[in-house]
């Protein structure tokens, strides 16, 4: 059966974004440092339309994470803009320009209704009736493939707390942010099993299964 | 030159002890779960006077951590009893009985003066004039060997914040404690370099160097 899974970069002190998120600095202060390891990779640069990049141990981790994903669910914070709120007359189109790197159905959790947005081969559907509804829609769209939880921390934590996640991989980066959004906050008494730990340049990939 | 180093078991949500520490439950609720991986090891059982135990990938991690240590510094919380405070007329002798497993000079950070306590070949010296003083005494006692910071989180965080730690290894356990004492809290803007990440049964060992 298809899985619900997530993977996300985390600072050594447990944050997935730094303090003070703004439109100029959507990952908060220091948050960019969490993603240096992946931005250097050809496996990330190619789908994001950037040239060059290296291959290392992280390549297979990223390839594996991206494979067999049929739909993504993201929080309003990840879609943006910073601060959220009503969409307004010229609604925000996301951070990614005309050709977002998803290439699949994306379901955005929000409190504010909006018609679906199609940009190239990515369709953003805005879901206002809760995480279970978003998951049901994403499962339907994904078919036999997995549903990926794209973050941020709040939405992943909500799915973890509801017992709806099968696997989560944290990419632990040797950075301390000292504040911001924490993964695993308020998720209650989950039982986890370590599936693997992989050393790679500048990051450690730790993958877990949620025991049900 | 000898190093100041620490290693400590941490829950996936960043706690080194659970909430509500008591004398019956000195590691707080759920805190015992952090140490299952090490308590199963022969490398831990033998020095603690227990029979049996297994050998696995974690064995060399524990052996390496224990090697070349000439003195330990611990917080009052680790020495006990829970709650701290003045020593009283029949002062607490530590959690470890007549033959503590340290076998080396131990320096206990405390606000309450007390004569040194010798139990078998371990001497506990109580230091009331701060972390720099404790480190100076521990370095003197350790000679060419390393000084080990035995925890808990508060004392390790103080040494990290003061820039006095050379290496720290976290043993990440697939457990969520949801509260308790956090490692890396309030340590400021430290620069870390990942030295290694090792997968072992039920734990991931992540070792870092503090860049100075």
């Amino acid at each position: 059966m298809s899985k619900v899974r997530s993977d996300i970069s985390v600072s050594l002190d447990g944050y997935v974004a730094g303090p003070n998120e703004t439109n100029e600095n959507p990952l908060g202060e220091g948050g960019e440092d969490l993603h240096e390891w992946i931005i250097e990779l050809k496996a990330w640069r190619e789908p994001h339309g950037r040239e060059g990049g290296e291959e290392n141990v992280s390549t297979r981790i990223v390839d594996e994470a991206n494979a067999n994903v049929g739909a993504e669910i993201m929080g309003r914070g990840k879609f943006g803009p910073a601060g959220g709120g009503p969409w307004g007359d010229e609604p925000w189109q996301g951070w990614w320009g005309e050709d977002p790197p998803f290439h699949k159905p994306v379901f955005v959790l929000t409190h504010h209704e909006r018609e679906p947005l199609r940009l190239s081969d990515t369709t953003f559907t805005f879901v206002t009736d809760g995480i279970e509804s978003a998951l049901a829609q994403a499962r339907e769209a994904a078919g036999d493939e997995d549903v990926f939880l794209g973050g941020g921390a709040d939405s992943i934590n909500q799915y973890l707390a509801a017992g709806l996640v099968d696997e989560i991989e944290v990419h632990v980066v040797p950075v301390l942010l000292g504040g911001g959004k924490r993964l695993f906050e308020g998720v209650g008494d989950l039982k986890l099993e370590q599936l693997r730990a992989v050393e790679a340049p500048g990051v450690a990939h730790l993958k877990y299964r949620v025991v049900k």
Side-chain angles (χ1 to χ4, degrees), chain A residues 43-50 66 72 74 78 93-104 106 119-124:
Chain A
W44 185 89
R45 301 183 73 83
E46 220 166 56
H48 286 79
R50 300 204 200 169
N66 290 340
E72 171 163 341
M74 66 173 65
K78 178 168 175 181
Q93 307 283 301
W95 309 96
W96 306 278
E98 291 296 310
D99 184 25
F102 304 101
H103 315 295
K104 62 176 70 72
V106 174
L119 292 171
S120 176
D121 59 348
T122 298
T123 303
F124 296 95

Side-chain angles (χ1 to χ4, degrees), chain A residues 122-145:
Chain A
T122 298
T123 303
F124 296 95
T125 301
F126 300 90
V127 180
T128 56
D129 54 348
I131 63 169
E132 281 87 358
S133 169
L135 181 55
Q137 294 178 58
R139 276 197 199 279
E140 174 78 23
D144 292 338
E145 295 187 304

Side-chain angles (χ1 to χ4, degrees), chain A residues 75-119:
Chain A
R76 171 68 194 274
K78 178 168 175 181
F79 184 78
W87 296 108
D89 292 334
E90 288 181 39
W92 176 259
Q93 307 283 301
W95 309 96
W96 306 278
E98 291 296 310
D99 184 25
F102 304 101
H103 315 295
K104 62 176 70 72
V106 174
F107 297 85
V108 180
L109 299 163
T110 170
H111 296 293
H112 302 279
E113 287 189 18
R114 177 172 172 181
E115 290 298 304
L117 169 67
R118 189 173 178 88
L119 292 171

Side-chain angles (χ1 to χ4, degrees), chain A residues 6-169:
Chain A
S6 191
D7 75 87
I8 191 161
S9 293
V10 181
S11 69
L12 189 55
D13 54 348
Y15 297 100
V16 302
N20 303 319
E21 298 175 25
T22 62
N23 281 337
E24 290 67 46
N25 206 356
L27 298 168
E29 289 164 22
E32 295 284 342
D33 297 344
L34 295 179
H35 302 95
E36 268 179 27
W37 68 273
I38 196 169
I39 288 172
E40 289 165 3
L41 291 182
K42 188 172 157 77
W44 185 89
R45 301 183 73 83
E46 220 166 56
H48 286 79
R50 300 204 200 169
E51 289 187 3
E54 60 179 83
E55 297 186 38
N56 63 34
V57 179
S58 291
T59 301
R60 76 171 167 93
I61 304 292
V62 172
D63 285 346
E64 188 187 293
N66 290 340
N68 198 45
V69 174
E72 171 163 341
I73 298 172
M74 66 173 65
R76 171 68 194 274
K78 178 168 175 181
F79 184 78
W87 296 108
D89 292 334
E90 288 181 39
W92 176 259
Q93 307 283 301
W95 309 96
W96 306 278
E98 291 296 310
D99 184 25
F102 304 101
H103 315 295
K104 62 176 70 72
V106 174
F107 297 85
V108 180
L109 299 163
T110 170
H111 296 293
H112 302 279
E113 287 189 18
R114 177 172 172 181
E115 290 298 304
L117 169 67
R118 189 173 178 88
L119 292 171
S120 176
D121 59 348
T122 298
T123 303
F124 296 95
T125 301
F126 300 90
V127 180
T128 56
D129 54 348
I131 63 169
E132 281 87 358
S133 169
L135 181 55
Q137 294 178 58
R139 276 197 199 279
E140 174 78 23
D144 292 338
E145 295 187 304
D146 294 343
V147 172
F148 179 72
L149 305 177
D154 289 345
S155 64
I156 297 174
N157 288 343
Q158 285 178 52
Y159 279 102
L160 285 168
L164 296 172
V165 181
D166 296 299
E167 289 179 2
I168 185 162
E169 182 155 31

